[in-house]
Amino acid sequence: MRLQALSGVAFDEAFLRMMSAHHVQAVAEANFELEGGVDTDAQSLAEQIKQTQLEEIATMGMLLEPLSP
């Protein structure tokens, strides 16, 4: 779905859903580093990314609630 073709609530809902999926992938990539990485700096960054992305996913979920039928 292209965001350019949407406006208003349809745009907001599509944007939030796409960004949530994007953030879920970032969490998966961070988990990959946390499970198999050896560099402590990279692991620290992965943990920060994971926590931030999870918080943002939760926020986007709350923003989606009133938009979904």
Side-chain angles (χ1 to χ4, degrees):
M1 176 180 297
R2 294 186 58 98
L3 290 176
Q4 292 172 330
L6 302 174
S7 63
V9 172
F11 175 91
D12 293 343
E13 185 174 0
F15 175 81
L16 290 168
R17 289 189 188 287
M18 284 188 242
M19 285 304 296
S20 291
H22 175 72
H23 282 37
V24 166
Q25 183 58 42
V27 170
E29 292 172 16
N31 281 333
F32 186 74
E33 172 61 31
L34 291 168
E35 293 166 5
V38 294
D39 184 277
T40 57
D41 289 336
Q43 290 219 319
S44 177
L45 177 60
E47 187 59 44
Q48 291 173 5
I49 289 170
K50 179 180 176 178
Q51 293 308 313
T52 301
Q53 298 297 291
L54 288 172
E55 290 170 11
E56 291 179 6
I57 291 166
T59 299
M60 288 184 279
M62 288 187 298
L63 293 170
L64 274 167
E65 285 179 18
L67 301 179
S68 300

